[in-house]
Amino acid sequence: PGDKFDLKFSNDVTVTLSGIKARFPHLLQSTGLTLWKGSESLCQYLSAHPESVTDKSVIELGAGLGLCGIVAHKLGAGKTIITDGDTDTLKNMRRNVANNPSSNHMTPLRQTNDSIIACKQLLWGKNVEAFRERWAPHHGFDVVMGGDIVYAQRSLKPLFETVLILLSSAPGSIFLLSYVFRDGVTIDTVLAHAKQKGLEWVAPDETEGVYVFSRRQES
């Protein structure tokens, strides 16, 4: 990809990405090679609430360019695993990770003494238990997140199945979903799947925005 995206968020977090600037991103052969509105919204949320990822284990689903994972790492996440299912997208994502400085502006982003960031392939609903055992063997991830990843009705079931396997059952663990209306997938449909899986949520002020899901606690 030959285009550059230069982004700046609060907390002095800056990110430069390689990708494709597309007027109609959903028409690209690899949709993960461009920047999506929901990813920027999720990063704005993370920058406003850095405590949601600081010192936490974080996994991003359908990460595309890797923006949200990179921002989480820069905000102090202890472990950040950035995933996508597409091979070409992963190659570009790894370049983006390598080309951005870490939060201390000196060492490569890949790994510092107290934090790690890695790009891995993950297909929703496929070998997710084994993936969790490899990357979060003790209790799962503190934070699962995705920006603009619900654009197909058929993907909702494997998405939420994947989230439930990866998300820690410890209190305070959250799934951050930046929702944007795409291809007829309504928020009501999304929330119905979440409820069926035993999740509760805090909704944003507007229909589109970041929803904070957690496991429903038994009273």
Side-chain angles (χ1 to χ4, degrees), residues 14 24 40 46 58-59 63 66 68 86 88 107 129 131 134 138 141 150 163 170 197 202 214 218:
T14 59
F24 302 106
E40 292 187 79
L46 296 176
V58 179
I59 184 168
C68 301
D86 182 72
D88 290 337
T107 58
E129 291 90 349
F131 187 95
R134 172 68 180 86
H138 300 300
F141 290 89
V150 290
V163 168
K197 292 298 181 181
V202 176
S214 58
E218 298 295 334

Side-chain angles (χ1 to χ4, degrees), residues 60-75:
E60 182 182 5
L61 306 179
L65 299 181
L67 173 62
C68 301
I70 291 172
V71 168
H73 180 77
K74 284 173 171 279
L75 290 171

Side-chain angles (χ1 to χ4, degrees), residues 163-215:
V163 168
L164 263 290
I165 293 169
L166 295 174
L167 185 64
S168 169
S169 57
S173 301
I174 55 174
F175 169 40
L176 299 173
L177 176 66
S178 181
Y179 171 79
V180 178
F181 179 72
R182 304 278 184 197
D183 293 345
V185 182
T186 66
I187 189 60
D188 289 342
T189 303
V190 174
L191 296 180
H193 277 79
K195 185 176 181 180
Q196 187 180 34
K197 292 298 181 181
L199 296 174
E200 55 189 13
W201 57 87
V202 176
D205 293 335
E206 306 293 334
T207 300
E208 292 189 348
V210 177
Y211 289 74
V212 183
F213 295 90
S214 58
R215 294 181 187 274

Side-chain angles (χ1 to χ4, degrees), residues 99-114:
N99 289 337
N100 277 274
S102 71
S103 53
N104 63 16
H105 305 294
M106 294 174 62
T107 58
L109 188 61
R110 242 172 298 230
Q111 187 169 346
T112 61
N113 289 333
D114 56 354

Side-chain angles (χ1 to χ4, degrees), residues 55-174:
D55 297 326
K56 305 289 180 63
S57 59
V58 179
I59 184 168
E60 182 182 5
L61 306 179
L65 299 181
L67 173 62
C68 301
I70 291 172
V71 168
H73 180 77
K74 284 173 171 279
L75 290 171
K79 175 195 290 182
T80 309
I81 307 297
I82 315 177
T83 71
D84 205 279
D86 182 72
T87 303
D88 290 337
T89 297
L90 278 166
K91 290 178 183 177
N92 186 60
M93 184 196 300
R94 291 189 174 106
R95 283 193 293 267
N96 284 332
V97 167
N99 289 337
N100 277 274
S102 71
S103 53
N104 63 16
H105 305 294
M106 294 174 62
T107 58
L109 188 61
R110 242 172 298 230
Q111 187 169 346
T112 61
N113 289 333
D114 56 354
S115 65
I116 184 173
I117 184 168
C119 304
K120 299 296 173 182
Q121 187 170 44
L122 177 64
L123 299 170
W124 301 347
K126 304 289 185 181
N127 302 313
V128 182
E129 291 90 349
F131 187 95
R132 170 181 157 157
E133 287 305 306
R134 172 68 180 86
W135 293 104
H138 300 300
H139 64 277
F141 290 89
D142 301 318
V143 180
V144 179
M145 63 180 185
D148 223 329
I149 58 173
V150 290
Y151 48 81
Q153 198 89 19
R154 66 183 181 277
S155 71
L156 291 176
K157 185 174 184 289
L159 168 61
F160 278 98
E161 289 174 349
T162 298
V163 168
L164 263 290
I165 293 169
L166 295 174
L167 185 64
S168 169
S169 57
S173 301
I174 55 174

